[in-house]
């Protein structure tokens, strides 16, 4: 009976080790448990017949030690976390995130096509979002859209400029052809900045181009709430309405898109497209 109890205790300790990892006390407890089982198996009559009870006591103590001291959430690990935080803070004290003057200097070098000088300064900066953004900006200026996109995508908490550059990089990378990758970026930007008409429009436009028409109608509708006279937003909202089966609304928004485009000027290609779609929709309606 005692053998079975020790086997059960050993199994419980082993499960704790699997959950918590092979901690020092957990392994020591497992060794003691195995030793207790061997002690009963080969030396059951030892200690004047008290060997089973002795081994059972060792097993219970070992399980308690393994459970309590072998738990990675004990204070020892909290202390280690505090030390890591101190090291991190000390690192940032010695390696300051670039200030506005340094950033302006790098951006000025990029603008004046002094790419090597800009790269040298960027390389000396500590790892941070601002460094990644400057690297992406430099790569974009050099028309290296593929690496610019991969670099900018590493920024976890993107600001508006980071999203704008990432969308630009991906669109140039795929030569203006929208895919699901670009659509996902645009929707993330719209989610993070719901009051930015540009991001809402890009989310709607890219959803339309990737056949996500319900989402496109939502984003384009939100864009028009903020920018009712946006020619492109009206245009793509009209196309979306047509795909979703509302021909009359489609023609209404195409007419308004045409009016907005003519009022603002410089939208010759869009005006041609509107006229072409209006003709096709009216012919289809008839």
């Amino acid at each position: 009976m005692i053998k079975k109890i020790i086997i059960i205790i050993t199994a419980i300790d082993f499960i704790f080790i699997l959950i918590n990892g092979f901690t020092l006390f957990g392994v020591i407890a497992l060794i003691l448990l195995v030793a207790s089982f061997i002690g009963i198996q080969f030396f059951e009559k030892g200690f004047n017949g008290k060997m089973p009870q002795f081994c059972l006591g060792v097993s219970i103590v070992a399980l308690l030690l393994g459970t309590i001291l072998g738990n990675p959430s004990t204070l020892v690990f909290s202390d280690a976390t505090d030390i890591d935080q101190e090291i991190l803070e000390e690192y940032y004290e010695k390696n300051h995130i670039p200030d506005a003057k340094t950033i302006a200097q790098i951006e000025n070098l990029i603008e004046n096509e002094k790419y090597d000088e800009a790269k040298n300064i960027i390389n000396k900066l500590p790892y941070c979002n601002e460094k990644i953004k400057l690297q992406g900006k430099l790569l974009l200026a050099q028309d290296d859209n593929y690496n610019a996109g991969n670099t900018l995508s590493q920024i976890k908490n993107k600001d508006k400029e980071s999203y704008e550059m990432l969308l630009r990089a991906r669109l140039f990378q795929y030569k203006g052809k929208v895919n699901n990758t670009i659509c996902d970026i645009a929707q993330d930007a719209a989610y993070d900045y719901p009051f930015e008409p540009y991001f809402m429009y890009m989310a709607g436009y890219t959803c339309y181009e990737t056949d996500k028409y319900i989402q496109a109608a939502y984003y384009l509708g939100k864009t028009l709430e903020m920018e009712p006279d946006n020619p492109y937003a009206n245009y793509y909202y009209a196309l979306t309405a047509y795909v979703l089966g509302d021909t009359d609304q489609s023609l209404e928004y195409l007419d308004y898109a045409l009016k907005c485009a003519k009022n603002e000027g410089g939208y010759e290609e869009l005006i041609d497209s509107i006229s072409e779609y209006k003709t096709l929709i009216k012919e289809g309606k008839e």
Side-chain angles (χ1 to χ4, degrees):
M1 182 66 182
I2 291 177
K3 286 183 183 179
K4 290 181 180 179
I5 294 173
I6 292 176
I7 290 172
I8 293 170
I9 291 174
T10 305
I12 292 170
D13 184 68
F14 186 68
I15 291 169
F16 275 120
I17 286 176
L18 291 178
I19 294 171
N20 297 333
F22 285 84
T23 58
L24 177 61
F25 284 102
V27 173
I28 290 173
L30 185 62
I31 292 170
L32 287 172
L33 287 164
V34 173
S36 297
F37 180 78
I38 293 172
I40 295 177
Q41 189 73 22
F42 295 101
F43 308 101
E44 189 172 358
K45 303 299 181 182
F47 296 132
N48 296 320
K50 298 292 184 181
M51 178 61 83
Q53 291 85 346
F54 174 77
C55 289
L56 178 61
V58 171
S59 300
I60 293 170
V61 172
L63 179 62
L64 291 172
L65 285 172
T67 305
I68 298 171
L69 298 179
N71 191 336
S73 62
T74 54
L75 290 175
V76 175
F77 287 87
S78 298
D79 292 342
T81 303
D82 291 339
I83 292 170
D84 288 343
Q85 184 63 32
E86 288 174 9
I87 293 172
L88 188 63
E89 289 175 0
E90 184 180 347
Y91 171 80
Y92 279 115
E93 282 179 8
K94 294 179 180 177
N95 301 274
H96 295 295
I97 292 173
D99 55 24
K101 184 178 179 180
T102 303
I103 293 170
Q105 179 189 6
I106 294 168
E107 290 178 339
N108 185 58
L109 289 170
I110 293 172
E111 188 177 341
N112 289 289
E113 300 184 4
K114 297 179 180 179
Y115 302 135
D116 290 336
E117 291 181 46
K119 185 177 180 181
N120 288 334
I121 298 174
I122 292 171
N123 287 341
K124 294 175 183 177
L125 298 176
Y127 184 82
C128 59
N129 279 351
E130 202 60 50
K131 178 177 183 175
I132 300 172
K133 191 198 297 188
L134 290 167
Q135 287 173 329
K137 193 173 290 189
L138 175 61
L139 291 165
L140 271 176
Q142 296 174 300
D143 295 324
D144 189 352
N145 299 300
Y146 176 80
N147 285 316
N150 289 345
T151 299
L152 291 164
S153 63
Q154 294 174 30
I155 301 175
K156 292 181 180 179
N157 300 313
K158 297 178 181 64
D159 59 11
K160 289 188 286 186
E161 186 180 23
S162 299
Y163 272 125
E164 288 171 1
M165 289 195 297
L166 181 55
L167 282 168
R168 177 186 164 194
R170 292 305 190 198
L171 283 167
F172 276 115
Q173 177 185 341
Y174 296 107
K175 300 184 186 333
K177 186 176 181 181
V178 176
N179 56 26
N180 286 320
T181 298
I182 297 170
C183 185
D184 288 344
I185 296 167
Q187 289 187 86
D188 286 343
Y191 179 82
D192 287 345
Y193 295 95
F195 301 109
E196 287 293 326
Y198 171 73
F199 292 139
M200 277 293 169
Y201 165 72
M202 286 301 296
Y205 161 66
T206 55
C207 280
Y208 173 83
E209 291 292 336
T210 50
D211 303 333
K212 301 179 183 73
Y213 301 116
I214 300 297
Q215 295 97 311
Y218 169 78
Y219 289 121
L220 291 167
K222 288 294 182 182
T223 306
L224 291 173
E225 286 178 12
M226 294 182 280
E227 292 185 344
D229 297 333
N230 185 319
Y232 277 104
N234 278 285
Y235 172 71
Y236 279 104
Y237 190 86
L239 299 188
T240 303
Y242 180 72
V243 173
L244 293 176
D246 195 335
T247 304
D248 291 336
Q249 188 182 54
S250 177
L251 288 170
E252 179 184 338
Y253 275 88
L254 279 175
D255 285 337
Y256 194 67
L258 182 63
K259 178 182 176 181
C260 294
K262 287 181 176 178
N263 286 343
E264 291 192 26
Y267 288 92
E268 284 73 17
E269 289 186 14
L270 178 60
I271 290 170
D272 291 341
S273 293
I274 292 170
S275 300
E276 182 181 342
Y277 270 104
K278 280 183 66 177
T279 301
L280 290 171
I281 290 172
K282 285 178 179 179
E283 287 177 354
K285 189 177 180 181
E286 292 171 359

